[in-house]
Amino acid sequence: MFSKACEYGIKATVHICIRSQQHERVSLKNIAEKIDSPIAFTAKILQSLAKNDIINSSKGAKGGYEMSEDNFNKITLLDIVKAIDGDNIYNGCGLGYKNCNAKKPCPMHFQFKSIRDDLKKMLETTTLQELADDINEGTSFLVR
Amino acid sequence: MFSKACEYGIKATVHICIRSQQHERVSLKNIAEKIDSPIAFTAKILQSLAKNDIINSSKGAKGGYEMSEDNFNKITLLDIVKAIDGDNIYNGCGLGYKNCNAKKPCPMHFQFKSIRDDLKKMLETTTLQELADDINEGTSFLVR
DNA sequence: ACAAACTCGGATAAATTTATCCGATATAGA
DNA sequence: TCTATATCGGATAAATTTATCCGAGTTTGT
Ligand code: FES
Ligand code: FES
């Protein structure tokens, strides 16, 4: 469904969000450990998240990643997925045609579109705050 | 969402189904032309569809691929997806954990599961017959 | 000024997916 | 039997995704 990069990106952002709620900045090393991801690969992903203004990065000693409070319930899963995997998963044709076009639908269009639309709605309405809250409440888990 | 192999596999099976309704056997070359796919790669996919008893293949002159009438409304998209991409897309965890486990859910579980379940239901209830009918009626299109 | 602790970003490598090539084999028909 | 026409299946190559390495630059604290 999502790329590995995107999965890491979502987990990393959730972790950063939780720590930012506690006003703590986290290092790359800490993130990779917490979400169990390859460190250098995670660095690339964090860079692109930073370029998309989803997280902030600071260089140097005591540097690391953080998220502004404004973003807690402003950034959604869609922002992250879009930044890393692009919009194909929630806009593209299920059978791989360049565009999904209801005027000239592919054989799977009618069955596929509504699910894709639900996915899109889910992604754009799910905020990091929500995901972080569940983890803080022990309802869901970042590691397993 | 689906792999290229799976997209080709779905298109190919739909095409074979339509031709089989007309009691015609189709060659690899014809399939690859009709669905606009790389010919040798398509051959591999058709082989695995044949091994999974989704289509039948015949060697030699006048050989090719066909589908038994019984399969028209027995084979679903799920059968094809399962044969080519496996079951991860409709059973696996959205954040890449080995298993989706409601007892120890990942941060995206509650949001993701219902969409994944809808996708699964769609795949297992959509038969080739339906897809073929739409194309025959001009409601959807195999090529674009 | 210096060292330690960080991220940045380019180069490279490994793994997987996608795609091609070709000899072996099977079938139909002349 | 011979030839043309097919798929089969193993080897290989290209492209993309995933992962690693390392020098350069930045910031903090001594
Ligand atoms: S045209 Fe393929 S999903 Fe809409
Ligand atoms: S545990 Fe991740 S989707 Fe269920």
Side-chain angles (χ1 to χ4, degrees):
Chain A
M1 178 80 80
F2 306 107
S3 69
K4 276 283 168 202
C6 195
E7 291 175 2
Y8 295 146
I10 292 170
K11 290 182 196 173
T13 312
V14 169
H15 177 60
I16 294 167
C17 179
I18 290 172
R19 291 303 182 86
S20 289
Q21 289 175 338
Q22 303 157 353
H23 307 96
E24 281 171 21
R25 191 182 275 170
V26 280
S27 69
L28 167 61
K29 196 177 154 208
N30 174 275
I31 294 169
E33 269 167 15
K34 288 293 178 188
I35 71 173
D36 188 32
S37 65
I39 184 159
F41 188 45
T42 307
K44 305 290 186 199
I45 297 161
L46 292 171
Q47 274 177 51
S48 95
L49 290 173
K51 274 183 186 150
N52 282 275
D53 299 314
I54 291 167
I55 58 177
N56 304 116
S57 71
S58 324
K59 287 179 164 187
K62 304 272 177 187
Y65 304 88
E66 70 205 327
M67 170 175 263
S68 81
E69 288 204 33
D70 285 355
N71 276 356
F72 293 168
N73 52 21
K74 208 169 98 190
I75 297 294
T76 65
L77 283 175
L78 194 90
D79 297 314
I80 300 170
V81 171
K82 184 163 54 183
I84 299 173
D85 279 352
D87 69 348
N88 206 264
I89 188 130
Y90 56 87
N91 276 336
C93 167
L95 285 185
Y97 293 125
K98 278 218 196 74
N99 309 295
C100 171
N101 179 353
K103 296 274 166 61
K104 192 120 187 186
C106 76
M108 228 174 60
H109 176 86
F110 301 106
Q111 291 84 359
F112 184 70
K113 185 178 185 304
S114 75
I115 285 164
R116 199 193 54 196
D117 287 348
D118 287 348
L119 173 65
K120 184 175 185 176
K121 177 163 275 179
M122 181 278 266
L123 292 174
E124 68 194 2
T125 58
T126 303
T127 64
L128 284 175
Q129 179 85 64
E130 284 179 64
L131 300 182
D133 285 351
D134 279 351
I135 290 176
N136 287 329
E137 290 163 11
T139 310
S140 70
F141 305 84
L142 197 45
V143 281
R144 234 169 60 189
Chain B
M1 179 78 80
F2 306 106
S3 69
K4 276 284 170 201
C6 195
E7 291 174 3
Y8 295 148
I10 293 170
K11 290 181 196 173
T13 312
V14 170
H15 176 60
I16 293 167
C17 179
I18 290 171
R19 289 306 182 83
S20 289
Q21 290 175 336
Q22 303 156 354
H23 307 97
E24 281 171 22
R25 190 182 275 170
V26 281
S27 70
L28 167 63
K29 197 178 156 206
N30 174 276
I31 294 169
E33 270 167 13
K34 287 294 177 187
I35 70 173
D36 189 31
S37 65
I39 185 160
F41 189 44
T42 306
K44 306 290 188 200
I45 298 161
L46 292 172
Q47 274 178 52
S48 95
L49 290 173
K51 274 182 188 152
N52 282 275
D53 298 314
I54 291 167
I55 58 176
N56 305 115
S57 70
S58 325
K59 285 180 163 188
K62 305 275 177 182
Y65 304 88
E66 70 204 328
M67 171 175 261
S68 79
E69 287 205 32
D70 285 354
N71 276 356
F72 293 168
N73 52 20
K74 206 169 98 189
I75 298 293
T76 66
L77 283 174
L78 195 88
D79 298 313
I80 301 171
V81 170
K82 186 164 50 180
I84 300 173
D85 279 352
D87 68 349
N88 206 265
I89 187 124
Y90 56 87
N91 276 336
C93 167
L95 285 185
Y97 292 125
K98 277 217 194 75
N99 310 296
C100 170
N101 179 351
K103 295 274 166 61
K104 192 118 189 187
C106 77
M108 226 174 61
H109 176 86
F110 301 106
Q111 292 82 0
F112 184 70
K113 185 178 185 307
S114 75
I115 285 163
R116 197 193 54 194
D117 287 347
D118 286 348
L119 173 64
K120 184 174 184 176
K121 177 162 275 180
M122 181 279 267
L123 292 175
E124 67 193 1
T125 59
T126 303
T127 63
L128 284 174
Q129 180 84 62
E130 284 179 65
L131 300 181
D133 285 351
D134 279 353
I135 291 176
N136 286 330
E137 290 163 12
T139 309
S140 71
F141 304 86
L142 196 46
V143 282
R144 234 166 65 190

